[in-house]
């Protein structure tokens, strides 16, 4: 009896979507593709990172991306440039990388120091090497449903849904957050009339008087507003699939460091209502890097087939 009850309780708790495991299988695919590319063209796909200044979080991100390249057979170089570099010098470095035939992808780690215009920098990267998918040409192509370099976190989300068996066709997806990096592109990708998309999409944001009015209608909820644990179980519909893009460091006296990483969703209460949920860390985060590697191989192949 106790065992049966435990089973029933178990069934009511959301299944965890294993982003780390799915990202690992994508890494294996990339490794294979990079080897085939090397056998065919005599070099591995190449990715250049530009890191300006000494922002500790950016340093960690770039280091982790570089490690993922090394593990999957992608050649990578990191340019570490001083905080006070001029915009003109940075743009000139991008021009050099645009012209470098061994480099297929260029990633300028954001944010940049205040004296540098981010838009200008993003627009200087050749769209053919725009593995971040942030160039207006890439985003414009995304919006009209054409093939392009899709930004890494949004394509990681679509891939997570696909590989964990979540159908999006005809479903109501509610995206919370309207950033250019996640909210706007993921909403546009999901509404395209394509396999793995074709959803009815609502985007809500801080301008909404009551965000919960929208989140309670979601069959699939994508939380990407950067506000720690602010969506709770009571804001959700029974059986919803929850994708938590948040990556917030909050105080926690019970840990050794005195802080912990958490998402935009309150995991424990959401897990009692949802059918599937991504953890933080180990959900969307690893997928962002996996899709960057995929984009680099894609850029390399496209440049060869031009
Ligand atoms: N800063 C935070 N996330 C990202 C990202 O995905 N790409 C770049 N270039 N900078 C970032």
């Amino acid at each position: 009896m106790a065992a049966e009850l435990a089973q029933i309780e178990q069934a009511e708790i959301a299944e965890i979507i294993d982003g780390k495991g799915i990202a690992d299988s994508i890494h294996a695919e990339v490794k294979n593709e990079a080897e085939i590319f090397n056998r065919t063209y005599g070099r591995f796909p190449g990715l250049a990172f530009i890191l300006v200044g000494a922002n500790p979080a950016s340093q960690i991100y770039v280091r982790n991306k570089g490690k993922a390249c090394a593990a999957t057979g992608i050649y990578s170089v990191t340019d570490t440039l001083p905080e006070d570099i001029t915009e003109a010098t940075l743009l000139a470095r991008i021009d050099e990388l645009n012209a470098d035939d061994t480099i297929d992808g260029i990633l300028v780690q954001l944010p940049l120091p205040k004296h540098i215009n981010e838009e200008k920098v993003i627009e200087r990267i050749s769209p053919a090497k725009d593995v971040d998918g942030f160039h207006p040409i890439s985003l414009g192509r995304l919006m009209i449903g054409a093939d392009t370099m899709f930004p890494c976190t949004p394509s990681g989300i679509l891939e997570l849904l696909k590989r964990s068996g979540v159908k999006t066709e005809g479903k109501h997806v509610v995206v919370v957050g309207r950033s250019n990096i996640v909210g706007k592109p993921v909403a546009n990708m999901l509404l395209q009339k394509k396999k793995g998309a074709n959803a009815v999409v609502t985007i809500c944001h801080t301008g909404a008087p009551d965000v919960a009015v929208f989140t309670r209608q979601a069959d699939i909820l994508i939380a990407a507003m950067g506000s720690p644990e602010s969506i709770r179980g009571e804001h959700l519909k029974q059986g919803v699939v929850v994708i938590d893009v948040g990556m917030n460091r909050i105080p926690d006296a019970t840990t050794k460091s005195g802080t912990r990483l958490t998402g935009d969703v309150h995991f424990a209460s959401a897990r009692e209502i949802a059918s599937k949920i991504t953890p933080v860390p180990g959900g969307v985060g690893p997928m962002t890097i996996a899709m960057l590697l995929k984009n680099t191989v894609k850029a390399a192949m496209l440049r060869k087939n031009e």
Side-chain angles (χ1 to χ4, degrees):
M1 185 67 183
E4 276 168 30
L5 274 176
Q7 238 177 3
I8 291 167
E9 271 179 21
Q10 194 78 34
E12 285 173 357
I13 289 181
E15 180 190 322
I16 294 198
I17 298 177
D18 179 13
K20 171 77 173 60
I22 295 173
D24 284 347
S25 39
I26 294 174
H27 285 202
E29 290 166 24
V30 167
K31 192 160 191 273
N32 187 40
E33 289 160 4
E35 272 162 17
I36 293 170
F37 186 89
N38 179 48
R39 254 181 268 134
T40 314
Y41 300 109
R43 68 170 180 85
F44 286 95
L47 175 54
F49 298 103
I50 299 183
L51 176 62
V52 181
N55 177 326
S58 293
Q59 286 173 331
I60 293 170
Y61 285 135
V62 169
R63 199 182 317 135
N64 288 342
K65 290 172 193 172
K67 277 188 198 161
C69 287
T72 53
I74 289 180
Y75 160 71
S76 79
V77 285
T78 302
D79 268 13
T80 306
L81 305 174
E83 178 89 22
D84 62 355
I85 193 167
T86 65
E87 187 179 281
T89 310
L90 175 57
L91 293 175
R93 182 63 189 129
I94 293 172
D95 289 342
E96 281 173 14
L97 292 167
N98 279 337
D100 184 338
D101 222 27
T102 66
I103 295 299
D104 302 290
I106 302 169
L107 184 148
V108 179
Q109 186 66 26
L110 304 176
L112 289 170
K114 296 251 177 312
H115 67 280
I116 296 175
N117 182 333
E118 266 180 20
E119 263 179 38
K120 217 165 161 182
V121 169
I122 289 169
E123 290 188 28
R124 194 64 160 249
I125 297 169
S126 161
K129 298 190 178 187
D130 176 32
V131 285
D132 254 332
F134 293 166
H135 194 290
I137 288 183
S138 306
L139 289 167
R141 291 180 60 82
L142 177 158
M143 183 144 182
I144 62 171
D147 190 26
T148 187
M149 290 293 150
F150 294 101
C152 303
T153 302
S155 53
I157 293 169
L158 267 72
E159 206 59 38
L160 265 187
L161 292 170
K162 190 167 99 186
R163 294 190 191 218
S164 47
V166 178
K167 294 268 175 284
T168 55
E169 286 81 1
K171 297 286 169 58
H172 187 190
V173 178
V174 176
V175 179
V176 190
R178 55 178 154 185
S179 70
N180 289 334
I181 293 182
V182 183
K184 284 184 214 163
V186 79
N188 275 285
M189 286 169 78
L190 282 165
L191 67 79
Q192 301 297 331
K193 197 167 183 178
K194 285 185 187 174
K195 216 165 156 250
N198 208 20
V200 176
V201 182
T202 299
I203 310 181
C204 57
H205 45 74
T206 48
D210 184 3
V211 168
V213 167
F214 301 100
T215 60
R216 285 196 188 99
Q217 297 177 43
D219 300 316
I220 300 171
L221 180 94
I222 301 177
M225 65 287 185
S227 164
E229 300 182 346
S230 51
I231 295 176
R232 306 181 56 93
E234 63 261 37
H235 305 133
L236 301 171
K237 181 169 80 176
Q238 193 72 41
V240 61
V241 173
V242 175
I243 305 292
D244 190 351
V245 186
M247 187 71 84
N248 311 287
R249 190 160 284 284
I250 61 166
D252 183 344
T254 68
T255 67
K256 215 163 137 193
S257 66
T259 66
R260 71 182 161 91
L261 265 186
T262 192
D264 289 350
V265 175
H266 183 262
F267 186 81
S269 62
R271 201 181 174 196
E272 289 182 12
I273 306 295
S275 58
K276 294 181 196 255
I277 187 166
T278 60
V280 177
V284 174
M287 292 300 290
T288 299
I289 297 185
M291 300 320 283
L292 172 69
L293 305 174
K294 273 263 180 209
N295 269 354
T296 304
V297 174
K298 179 175 177 176
M301 296 293 294
L302 285 173
R303 278 178 4 90
K304 286 293 177 191
N305 294 323
E306 255 171 12

